[in-house]
Amino acid sequence: MSAPTSPQGKGRGRNLSTDDYNVYDDAKTYYTTEDRHHNHRAGARTRTYSQNSLFKQFERLGLQKEPYRRGSHDESTIPHSRRFLIQVEPTLQSLQSQEDTDGNMQITIEDNGPKVLSLRTAASNGYNRFDIRGTYMLSNLLQELSLAKEYGRKQIILDEARLNENPVNRLSRLIKDHFWEGLTRRIDASSIEIAARDPKDWTDDPRPRIYIPRGAPEQHEYYTKVALDRPELRLDVQYLPEKITPEIVRDMNAKPGLLAVDMEEVVDPKTGEKTLRGRPFVVPGGRFNELYGWDSYMESLGLLVNDKVDLAKSMVQNFCFCIKHYGKILNATRSYYLCRSQPPFLTDMALRVYDKIKHEPGALDFLRQSLLAAIKEYYSVWTAEPRLDPVTGLSRYRPEGLGVPPETEAGHFIHILEPYAKKHNMTFDEFVYAYNHGDIKEPTLDDYFMHDRAVRESGHDTTYRFEGICADLATIDLNSLLFKYETDIARTIRNVFHDKFEVPDDWLNPGASKLETSAIWDRRAKRRRLAIDKYLWNEQAGMYFDYNTAKREQCNYESATTFWALWAGVSTPKQAAAMVTKALPRLEAYGGLLSGTEESRGEIGLERPNRQWDFPYGWAPQQILAWTGLYRYGFNEEAERLAYKWLFMITKAFVDFNGVVVEKYDVTRPIDPHRVDAEYGNQGLDFKGVAKEGFGWVNASYIYGLQIVNAHMRRALGTLTPFETFMKAVEDNRNKALSELV
């Protein structure tokens, strides 16, 4: 099939039939191509006869039996080319009133309509009808009609293939063509009105505000001009102070704002003048507008598979900007995150992008800038106090900060703070202000919020694994990531930069060497591996545990982060085998890897509610890193099995629940794993008619996971075959083949 040269199908000098178009075009192309929705194939209706007149005709002709009579529900065209002639609004209303019985603008297995709707066929010019049956096809119809309506169509010619499409292909296509676009942001004049307005701004005068680092005066000039040209925005453009301290960040909480990210110089096509344009990035979910830390790495894995290399590259460049100007890859680019980072993945992200672009001009400079940023971050953030534990030589999530984290919901800490307000005979707000500014000293609260900030920096907010102790923990996840930094930097300096890597003054940390060589990074990696083995490895359990640097003892929470050591290459082959034998059976569930074991989480109830990073929930990052790590050590079957389970769970929920793709899943639930009963709810559920974004790292895990499973598994996923059924079929086929050889 040939694709149109333009979305409108113009400029070809001839009328096009729908055969000239790709059935699986993205929605914008599909629904804005005018010619596609004209019914070229409809001609005069074939004459039909009553049964009696037909019988008499055949009697006269001497035929003994009746011919096959086409009924009104029959269609002469082959199934793959069947198309429907649909009036969008009436059909949408009819579909919803009949099938969406719970009125949530979705058609799921929980709706109790008849699950069948007749559509008029295009080949018969709407005379014949064909039944659309089942939740999956009807929910796809709802999605397609919602999109058609959104693009202003009154009537469409709809290909049946879009309704009964293999669900693996459909979800993969939606991620590539729609979800990434729905999650892509850029910060500049085109978006500043929305992006700079913070939904977590609890102040009396919430307004769009952006903070610019001193090292980017061109951005300050750009946004100042935007504010002057569009006074109705009330855009507040502020320079950041030269030195960022916890006190400054605390005081900025009265005026929270967006932090600037990288921009590129372009020529305005309207004026011909040079201007700035924001470098794009992908956000975790549809409600976000700022750049997030480790979400971005996971998303980049899917972007690279989908050949969206420029977007992944742009995200690395945004990270380098953050490290250069803010000192770290931030939790997210809002002012109240300035003291807090997230799990570091920059070296692997940059190297994966470089591998795709290394033959392009400027690729080596891209890698050099990325390496400079990673080295600066390594020195100034992860191996500097307070995050470095000088006794073990291991690192901790331990961000600086003062007072109550301001980005939480207004009442988030009421139960913690109210007793202190009563103790000091103050109102709640009076106490918070006095405590934040040091007028009242409460060491117990200081300790509580130090650990709370550390949990947020870890990315695992929240879990009983970290409650009340996070800032004291040398975790296996963080130290695996830093081991990966050390080995990545050593290898890149040695293999790409000929073992001499010069650090210019604007990237140099105080006291650091201007010339980096691979040997020193090799030694750092060796020291960290020895420390991980000494403090974090547990031979008896066959897994890694966190180490409490305050109590000087190993913890006992069984976490899926043990497999991060495989991803980073920390483990010996013997340790890897022990994890597969001992740890994996404890952490594997119906839908993939659990975040942690039920025993480690402990009993839950009204006084001890569930946490979202505990049993029974599974998260995309845990799956991705485990698959990659298992493959690295040759445990291909285990990697494929875990990937299959995760992909099956996502696909089944996608089919049964109107195309849903969410932030996290209950991996113990076969029927509705997207139902998550933990704090913060589940991002990705709030849509009407059709999902537009999915969720960033789950999208990536799906695309990436399809590279892990084999072709036979992918076919089985498309037929929604549970893993046990699939394995039984494989075993039966193997036995049959063996028996035929005997």
Side-chain angles (χ1 to χ4, degrees):
M1 296 183 184
S2 59
T5 55
S6 71
Q8 303 304 319
K10 296 177 180 177
R12 287 189 152 196
R14 66 182 177 90
N15 288 330
L16 299 176
S17 78
T18 49
D19 287 321
D20 291 299
Y21 296 99
N22 191 335
V23 168
Y24 301 117
D25 275 340
D26 64 275
K28 182 178 182 181
T29 303
Y30 192 85
Y31 289 113
T32 60
T33 307
E34 292 295 333
D35 209 61
R36 168 182 249 141
H37 299 286
H38 295 154
N39 196 15
H40 303 288
R41 295 183 63 178
R45 183 166 64 85
T46 304
R47 186 180 177 194
T48 58
Y49 301 91
S50 72
Q51 194 77 348
N52 288 336
S53 64
L54 267 175
F55 190 71
K56 289 174 182 175
Q57 268 192 300
F58 281 102
E59 277 185 331
R60 287 196 301 270
L61 293 170
L63 297 176
Q64 298 300 311
K65 63 178 183 178
E66 294 180 37
Y68 171 70
R69 181 178 184 271
R70 287 180 57 201
S72 62
H73 276 65
D74 295 325
E75 175 57 57
S76 62
T77 54
I78 60 172
H80 292 298
S81 64
R82 186 180 288 118
R83 297 182 175 96
F84 303 111
L85 181 62
I86 300 176
Q87 300 301 316
V88 174
E89 188 63 39
T91 308
L92 189 57
Q93 290 179 4
S94 176
L95 178 65
Q96 286 180 245
S97 63
Q98 177 181 296
E99 299 293 344
D100 179 20
T101 56
D102 57 10
N104 66 350
M105 284 286 287
Q106 298 175 20
I107 296 173
T108 74
I109 57 172
E110 295 175 341
D111 288 303
N112 54 19
K115 296 293 170 76
V116 58
L117 187 78
S118 290
L119 295 180
R120 299 179 184 276
T121 60
S124 69
N125 204 23
Y127 179 76
N128 290 337
R129 290 175 175 268
F130 184 83
D131 288 345
I132 300 301
R133 295 178 180 275
T135 299
Y136 180 57
M137 289 187 73
L138 289 168
S139 68
N140 286 346
L141 177 60
L142 176 66
Q143 293 167 49
E144 296 295 336
L145 292 177
S146 298
L147 290 167
K149 182 179 179 181
E150 186 175 307
Y151 285 106
R153 300 228 65 92
K154 305 296 184 187
Q155 175 182 293
I156 59 172
I157 305 290
L158 180 64
D159 292 272
E160 184 188 18
R162 288 178 82 90
L163 303 183
N164 60 15
E165 184 179 2
N166 179 306
V168 173
N169 295 346
R170 182 175 176 87
L171 179 50
S172 301
R173 179 174 63 80
L174 290 176
I175 291 170
K176 183 176 183 179
D177 292 344
H178 295 278
F179 290 2
W180 291 134
E181 183 180 353
L183 294 172
T184 299
R185 307 283 187 271
R186 66 170 82 239
I187 306 300
D188 52 28
S190 67
S191 62
I192 194 68
E193 179 178 9
I194 296 172
R197 193 179 296 279
D198 191 352
K200 296 176 182 176
D201 184 349
W202 314 118
T203 62
D204 293 336
D205 183 25
R207 59 186 291 191
R209 182 176 292 109
I210 186 165
Y211 285 99
I212 314 293
R214 295 281 177 176
E218 71 286 353
Q219 289 206 34
H220 191 273
E221 181 182 348
Y222 172 87
Y223 285 113
T224 299
K225 185 175 186 304
V226 171
L228 290 172
D229 291 346
R230 299 168 65 187
E232 73 279 3
L233 297 183
R234 297 181 66 237
L235 177 63
D236 185 12
V237 183
Q238 299 268 352
Y239 260 130
L240 267 181
E242 289 270 8
K243 185 172 175 56
I244 304 297
T245 65
E247 289 78 12
I248 284 172
V249 175
R250 175 201 62 197
D251 293 343
M252 287 170 66
N253 291 338
K255 290 185 175 181
L258 185 70
L259 298 172
V261 289
D262 201 18
M263 302 185 83
E264 58 183 334
E265 192 176 82
V266 296
V267 175
D268 189 324
K270 294 180 180 178
T271 64
E273 297 178 354
K274 288 183 178 179
T275 185
L276 296 178
R277 181 177 65 184
R279 291 197 190 275
F281 56 89
V282 174
V283 294
R287 69 186 180 92
F288 299 104
N289 290 297
E290 59 270 29
L291 175 70
Y292 274 78
W294 70 317
D295 294 76
S296 296
Y297 167 74
M298 300 298 163
E299 290 155 357
S300 74
L301 298 177
L303 291 171
L304 291 173
V305 175
N306 282 155
D307 295 322
K308 297 183 183 293
V309 181
D310 287 345
L311 186 49
K313 177 184 176 183
S314 173
M315 291 161 76
V316 173
Q317 292 170 308
N318 276 314
F319 278 164
C320 293
F321 181 94
C322 289
I323 291 172
K324 186 167 189 175
H325 295 289
Y326 307 131
K328 59 182 72 67
I329 293 175
L330 300 169
N331 185 156
T333 50
R334 297 280 178 185
S335 57
Y336 37 75
Y337 294 130
L338 276 164
C339 291
R340 190 192 311 162
S341 187
Q342 270 203 326
F345 285 92
L346 179 58
T347 57
D348 192 75
M349 187 176 178
L351 286 167
R352 285 175 181 267
V353 172
Y354 176 72
D355 190 56
K356 296 279 190 179
I357 66 168
K358 57 188 174 186
H359 301 300
E360 298 178 8
L364 195 63
D365 187 58
F366 163 82
L367 184 60
R368 180 181 286 106
Q369 293 297 310
S370 302
L371 209 62
L372 287 169
I375 290 171
K376 181 179 179 66
E377 180 199 27
Y378 177 88
Y379 285 139
S380 63
V381 179
W382 300 113
T383 59
E385 291 188 2
R387 291 176 180 85
L388 178 68
D389 174 45
V391 176
T392 62
L394 297 172
S395 299
R396 306 166 292 195
Y397 295 115
R398 199 179 180 116
E400 296 180 305
L402 292 172
V404 182
E407 79 276 12
T408 54
E409 292 75 10
H412 188 79
F413 293 113
I414 283 180
H415 66 294
I416 299 294
L417 297 171
E418 269 193 339
Y420 290 94
K422 290 178 181 177
K423 170 185 171 183
H424 292 279
N425 197 28
M426 303 171 86
T427 66
F428 182 84
D429 290 340
E430 287 172 345
F431 172 76
V432 170
Y433 183 88
Y435 170 67
N436 283 353
H437 290 79
D439 300 332
I440 290 175
K441 304 292 184 183
E442 287 290 353
T444 304
L445 269 187
D446 293 344
D447 195 56
Y448 174 87
F449 285 116
M450 177 182 69
H451 293 303
D452 181 86
R453 283 189 292 271
V455 172
R456 297 170 191 278
E457 182 170 74
S458 78
H460 293 74
D461 46 330
T462 63
T463 166
Y464 287 114
R465 171 188 172 206
F466 286 160
E467 192 145 296
I469 57 171
C470 188
D472 292 330
L473 297 183
T475 67
I476 182 57
D477 32 305
L478 176 57
N479 286 284
S480 294
L481 299 181
L482 294 177
F483 177 84
K484 185 70 159 57
Y485 261 43
E486 291 156 351
T487 53
D488 282 348
I489 292 170
R491 187 177 69 255
T492 306
I493 290 176
R494 182 166 50 248
N495 297 343
V496 182
F497 295 101
H498 312 295
D499 223 0
K500 289 182 180 179
F501 189 74
E502 294 186 16
V503 181
D505 291 341
D506 57 338
W507 283 103
L508 196 63
N509 284 283
S513 172
K514 284 182 67 69
L515 185 65
E516 296 283 354
T517 63
S518 62
I520 190 168
W521 290 95
D522 284 330
R523 287 196 295 273
R524 286 173 179 146
K526 185 177 180 180
R527 283 198 300 268
R528 190 175 300 274
R529 173 182 265 152
L530 290 171
I532 288 172
D533 280 348
K534 179 178 179 180
Y535 295 106
L536 308 184
W537 175 249
N538 188 303
E539 185 71 33
Q540 184 178 355
M543 68 175 77
Y544 295 92
F545 292 103
D546 305 325
Y547 181 80
N548 192 313
T549 60
K551 294 183 177 179
R552 300 295 165 197
E553 65 183 25
Q554 197 176 82
C555 303
N556 60 3
Y557 188 105
E558 298 168 320
S559 168
T561 53
T562 187
F563 296 107
W564 292 30
L566 300 184
W567 175 84
V570 172
S571 307
T572 64
K574 183 181 176 183
Q575 288 170 326
M579 272 197 275
V580 169
T581 304
K582 297 179 180 179
L584 186 54
R586 295 186 62 76
L587 289 159
E588 186 173 349
Y590 179 85
L593 274 182
L594 294 154
S595 289
T597 61
E598 188 172 11
E599 293 85 347
S600 292
R601 180 201 64 184
E603 293 294 324
I604 58 170
L606 290 176
E607 298 300 316
R608 194 174 184 269
N610 212 348
R611 304 293 192 212
Q612 64 176 3
W613 282 92
D614 289 327
F615 178 93
Y617 307 122
W619 292 75
Q622 312 290 36
Q623 320 299 321
I624 292 171
L625 299 182
W627 305 335
T628 311
L630 289 165
Y631 247 102
R632 179 173 189 158
Y633 283 81
F635 295 102
N636 297 5
E637 288 187 9
E638 288 77 7
E640 290 178 349
R641 181 178 75 241
L642 289 173
Y644 188 98
K645 288 183 169 186
W646 177 256
L647 296 174
F648 173 80
M649 179 187 62
I650 293 173
T651 309
K652 188 73 163 59
F654 174 80
V655 166
D656 289 345
F657 290 91
N658 207 96
V660 72
V661 177
V662 289
E663 177 186 29
K664 53 186 174 284
Y665 291 85
D666 181 339
V667 293
T668 67
R669 293 173 74 102
I671 302 299
D672 51 356
H674 63 295
R675 296 263 165 76
V676 169
D677 184 22
E679 83 270 60
Y680 305 125
N682 206 3
Q683 301 300 318
L685 288 169
D686 188 21
F687 65 88
K688 303 294 184 186
V690 58
K692 294 292 186 65
E693 303 102 4
F695 196 86
W697 59 24
V698 175
N699 299 344
S701 74
Y702 199 81
I703 297 301
Y704 188 79
L706 288 174
Q707 313 304 302
I708 300 289
V709 298
N710 58 49
H712 192 21
M713 286 178 152
R714 178 169 177 142
R715 286 193 295 271
L717 284 169
T719 60
L720 295 182
T721 304
F723 181 74
E724 291 73 16
T725 307
F726 169 74
M727 286 307 299
K728 185 177 185 304
V730 170
E731 191 64 30
D732 289 346
N733 287 339
R734 184 181 294 131
N735 292 337
K736 182 180 178 182
L738 288 172
S739 66
E740 290 173 354
L741 292 174
V742 177

